[in-house]
Amino acid sequence: RKLAGKGRYAVQVASVRDRSAAEAAAARVRSEGFEALTVMVSLKGKTWYRIRTGRFPSKQAAAKAAGIFSSAYGFKAIAVQD
């Protein structure tokens, strides 16, 4: 699945190893009125769940949104290329 909208960048609001923690974070993002996508990745033999939201045309725009998201909702959000 992909996030709706145009742009190559998204805001990653969390990256966790526990699936239930990822589902809880995604539910929190959705409860605030945002789309949430959970992406499962394997790094060095370990599974991580990354929760992303938004589509932005530039890394700068995504970084600005990540800062706002972090301040408003308490996540340690970062801008990522999707």
Side-chain angles (χ1 to χ4, degrees):
R1 234 174 86 199
K2 290 270 189 187
L3 292 168
K6 296 183 178 184
R8 295 179 25 206
Y9 296 89
V11 173
Q12 182 171 295
V13 297
S15 182
V16 295
R17 301 242 3 254
D18 181 69
R19 185 180 186 130
S20 62
E23 290 170 358
R28 171 117 189 272
V29 170
R30 288 185 194 102
S31 76
E32 297 294 344
F34 298 96
E35 179 183 15
L37 174 67
T38 302
V39 179
M40 186 177 75
V41 296
S42 181
L43 297 171
K44 298 183 182 180
K46 296 180 182 180
T47 301
W48 290 85
Y49 300 91
R50 295 177 172 174
I51 296 81
R52 295 181 177 176
T53 190
R55 294 304 245 166
F56 301 90
S58 69
K59 188 169 186 176
Q60 294 79 10
K64 182 176 179 182
I68 293 167
F69 211 90
S70 294
S71 297
Y73 304 108
F75 288 105
K76 292 183 181 179
I78 60 170
V80 294
Q81 187 169 357
D82 207 19

